[in-house]
Amino acid sequence: MESVPTTEDAQGQATPWWRSAVIYQVYPRSFADGNGDGTGDIAGLRTRLGHLAGLGVDALWLSPWYVSPLADGGYDVADYRDIDPAFGTLDEAEALIREAHSLGLRIVVDLVPNHCSEQHPWFQAALTAGPGAPERDRFHFRAGRGEHGELPPNDWPSHFGGPAWSRTADGSWYLHMFAPEQPDWNWEHPEVRAEFLSVLRFWLDLGVDGFRIDVTDHLVKEDGLPDAAGHHQRPHPWRDQEGVHEIYRSWRKLLDTYPDDRAFVAELWEQDPERFARYLRPDELHTAFNFPLLRSPWSAAAFREVIDATLAAHALVGAPATWVLSNHDTTRHVTRYGRADTSYGFDRAARHGLPVDLALGTRRARAAALLMLALPGGAYVYQGDELGLWEVEDIPDELRQDPTWLRSGGVDRGRDGCRVPLPWEGQEQPFGFSPARASAAPWLDVQPDGWRELTVAAQSGMPGSHLELYREALHLRRALPGLGDGPLRWNASAPEVLDFTRPGGVRCVVNLGPEPTPLPAGATGLLASAELMDGMLPPDAAVWLRGH
Ligand code: GLC
């Protein structure tokens, strides 16, 4: 299959694309519905590739599109080598990869190696085979505690609420760090290891350019599955175990046998920068999502600390940093930045429904986009970030689909609010998400009326719109030497201002404080997130300058 040509830097050196790439995350279910059944699909995505190429991103990361009962939006995979009929066919996937490549867009697929779906044939075989059967060794089956085995084998909690164990009809228990429909694989089993190497080969042979690895640090569990309470080792017996690195080394070896710079990106919520960097050693993974910026409150001091810590951690292993503001698991940043507490935490329940100033959040989101795209390394744009979409918080309870909602007994409102189908065009819902005369309403039919002004069509060609700001920034990022991978130099600034220069002389100034701040004299403006006031940068705004 035709691949995307390698890019050269200002010195004519070939640099791997993933060191500087801007990667657009597609959540296929909610991106574009081609066949009118209310669910986004490959057909819809293929008709919108032009939008993505025109936006100026380098690659697409597709959240899972594999065969799945969708108990967790596709992160419950029943067949790792085929596409779910709701999304299309394998032939369509191949056609998509080909068309994307011809437009200069690389394709990164999502790999979910910690768990599968309860419908996966190996899990079904394990259930049928019964206690003690070798088929059960590919998962974590255990007898329960208590007099009659009625208690879970240990005290681990599931990330989606409740215990991480469920009981089968024959009375044994199996481990699932997420929903009960997502049994954890036993990575000590050689067949599990061999199977994933084969799955990697399958998609590499089909022409994908990389993999996003789901919950990267969870695969290996501590020997004996000890209780977590009173556990003396860092951090938990179910994550960041030493043995996980050997798995990624074997994956890297395989990847390196393929041409054209294929790459891994790790989903890693590790907070310790040194532990984080270990996944990015030269013989392991290429890049990882760097979530501290996403978690950070809107504060110059906090941002600066995150940026410095990130760059220092990545320098330990020579890996490029990545930056991300939102994804399909987190509250959209327009909403976060419009609240009194602008940080992100997994205590979503406590934050849900707090007052939001959307105008302020939008203004800050524009500034954050210029900041992120000027920082060293790669960056991620979650579908709808480029439109300035906000979190939909008022979803009626009966329409909520995220398993976290049910598993938490309705305490956590879940992640549906950032997964609402995209608005493309027109005055009426679903704003072009599905074709005219669709046979069904969108799977999550809750687009706000206010998105009428935020459709791709409404914002296209509109000077100063959120979409045009992203387009301009992404095009400038390509045109100006020195953005992407490379060093950063801080300039002296007021405490509530971030001011740095990149090689080639592009300077980014961000004002996170409440007062306007003077801009350096003699610099030429390239792009601003808000109108400048007599040479001053207003509050909650960012600018790219040339010179000094
Ligand atoms: C990752 C995914 C999330 C999913 C979970 C379990 O965190 O991003 O959407 O629910 O893993 O696969």
Side-chain angles (χ1 to χ4, degrees):
M1 179 170 292
E2 197 82 349
S3 57
V4 178
T6 304
T7 47
E8 293 186 351
D9 68 11
Q11 286 76 43
Q13 299 285 319
T15 44
W17 64 278
W18 46 267
R19 296 195 70 91
S20 298
V22 179
I23 302 184
Y24 183 99
Q25 181 188 356
V26 173
Y27 192 71
R29 227 177 164 185
S30 303
F31 186 75
D33 167 20
N35 67 1
D37 66 355
T39 293
D41 48 32
I42 300 176
L45 174 54
R46 283 170 71 189
T47 65
R48 303 290 186 182
L49 282 179
H51 165 70
L52 298 172
L55 184 59
V57 296
D58 303 299
L60 311 183
W61 149 35
L62 309 178
S63 277
W65 54 0
Y66 314 107
V67 177
S68 167
L70 298 180
D72 181 22
Y75 285 92
D76 47 321
V77 180
D79 182 349
Y80 288 86
R81 295 182 185 80
D82 205 354
I83 302 291
D84 195 275
F87 299 137
T89 64
L90 203 52
D91 282 347
E92 287 179 277
E94 266 197 275
L96 168 83
I97 297 168
R98 217 175 22 246
E99 287 161 13
H101 284 177
S102 73
L103 291 169
L105 293 168
R106 289 184 164 86
I107 296 287
V108 173
V109 291
D110 213 313
L111 187 70
V112 189
N114 178 67
H115 44 265
C116 57
S117 158
E118 58 170 349
Q119 293 302 324
H120 190 285
W122 285 8
F123 190 69
Q124 286 298 314
L127 287 182
T128 316
E135 285 85 347
R136 292 210 164 176
D137 295 344
R138 296 175 182 139
F139 300 91
H140 297 282
F141 278 89
R142 292 287 185 281
R145 295 202 279 209
E147 207 180 322
H148 307 288
E150 73 282 9
L151 298 172
N154 70 22
D155 66 354
W156 297 3
S158 142
H159 294 299
F160 289 168
W165 295 90
S166 285
R167 208 167 184 194
T168 62
D170 57 51
S172 24
W173 296 78
Y174 68 91
L175 177 71
H176 54 84
M177 292 311 301
F178 294 87
E181 294 88 346
Q182 294 168 295
D184 277 43
W185 289 109
N186 172 15
W187 273 88
E188 300 310 323
H189 200 298
E191 284 171 19
V192 171
R193 294 192 180 220
E195 172 65 358
F196 274 90
L197 285 170
S198 153
V199 168
L200 284 167
R201 265 189 232 109
F202 178 86
W203 290 100
L204 289 165
D205 291 341
L206 221 71
V208 304
D209 301 281
F211 299 89
R212 177 260 188 194
I213 306 169
D214 194 58
V215 284
T216 303
D217 60 354
H218 274 47
L219 276 48
V220 173
K221 315 299 192 271
E222 189 174 323
D223 249 0
L225 311 183
D227 275 343
H231 192 269
H232 54 281
Q233 282 176 29
R234 74 161 307 282
H236 295 296
W238 60 78
R239 57 174 292 256
D240 196 31
Q241 298 290 313
E242 196 50 39
V244 82
H245 294 284
E246 167 193 329
I247 297 172
Y248 297 128
R249 286 196 190 98
S250 74
W251 289 16
R252 178 62 178 261
K253 272 206 190 97
L254 171 67
L255 210 74
D256 285 348
T257 64
Y258 281 80
D260 306 324
D261 282 339
R262 322 279 175 117
F264 289 114
V265 53
E267 186 208 17
L268 206 51
W269 287 90
E270 175 62 59
Q271 305 242 46
D272 176 331
E274 286 180 16
R275 301 296 298 183
F276 179 96
R278 299 173 86 240
Y279 291 81
L280 303 181
R281 289 176 289 197
D283 60 346
E284 295 191 42
L285 305 173
H286 304 73
T287 57
F289 290 102
N290 168 40
F291 290 118
L293 183 74
L294 186 156
R295 298 179 98 122
S296 176
W298 184 256
S299 133
F303 276 13
R304 185 165 172 159
E305 205 180 306
V306 163
I307 294 166
D308 284 337
T310 296
L311 297 179
H314 287 76
L316 294 174
V317 284
T322 66
W323 306 97
V324 52
L325 296 167
S326 282
N327 66 24
H328 67 294
D329 292 328
T330 57
T331 311
R332 283 192 179 272
H333 58 280
V334 163
T335 297
R336 287 193 333 256
Y337 290 157
R339 291 174 179 160
D341 176 352
T342 46
S343 65
Y344 176 75
F346 285 101
D347 54 338
R348 280 185 301 252
R351 298 165 192 245
H352 186 94
L354 293 175
V356 181
D357 179 341
L358 284 179
L360 179 63
T362 303
R363 185 179 170 84
R364 288 175 170 168
R366 293 169 63 93
L370 292 196
L371 167 66
M372 172 178 89
L373 293 173
L375 288 172
Y380 284 82
V381 176
Y382 175 47
Q383 66 178 39
D385 283 358
E386 80 280 23
L387 303 177
L389 300 189
W390 58 80
E391 183 83 5
V392 181
E393 293 203 280
D394 55 356
I395 300 177
D397 289 348
E398 64 279 11
L399 295 186
R400 292 189 185 277
Q401 313 241 355
D402 186 1
T404 59
W405 158 247
L406 281 181
R407 293 276 301 165
S408 70
V411 174
D412 185 341
R413 303 297 172 92
R415 301 162 293 178
D416 294 315
C418 62
R419 300 175 176 178
V420 176
L422 288 193
W424 290 94
E425 64 213 3
Q427 299 301 309
E428 303 297 328
Q429 285 152 4
F431 301 124
F433 168 70
S434 297
R437 290 182 299 280
S439 60
W443 69 278
L444 184 58
D445 193 11
V446 296
Q447 289 170 324
D449 280 344
W451 284 9
R452 186 169 291 125
E453 276 85 59
L454 299 185
T455 65
V456 173
Q459 295 196 51
S460 290
M462 167 92 81
S465 70
H466 214 94
L467 178 57
E468 292 301 340
L469 179 75
Y470 263 83
R471 280 192 182 138
E472 251 183 276
L474 288 165
H475 285 96
L476 275 174
R477 185 179 153 105
R478 275 199 184 151
L480 297 167
L483 293 179
D485 193 24
L488 160 156
R489 191 190 75 229
W490 290 109
N491 302 308
S493 66
E496 283 166 321
V497 173
L498 297 175
D499 183 343
F500 58 88
T501 302
R502 301 299 318 278
V506 176
R507 182 165 178 175
C508 176
V509 185
V510 192
N511 182 5
L512 294 99
E515 299 298 332
T517 189
L519 284 171
T524 322
L526 291 167
L527 183 61
S529 70
E531 222 163 294
L532 305 184
M533 307 151 65
D534 304 326
M536 306 278 274
L537 183 64
D540 301 310
V543 65
W544 288 2
L545 306 164
R546 191 198 274 294
H548 305 276

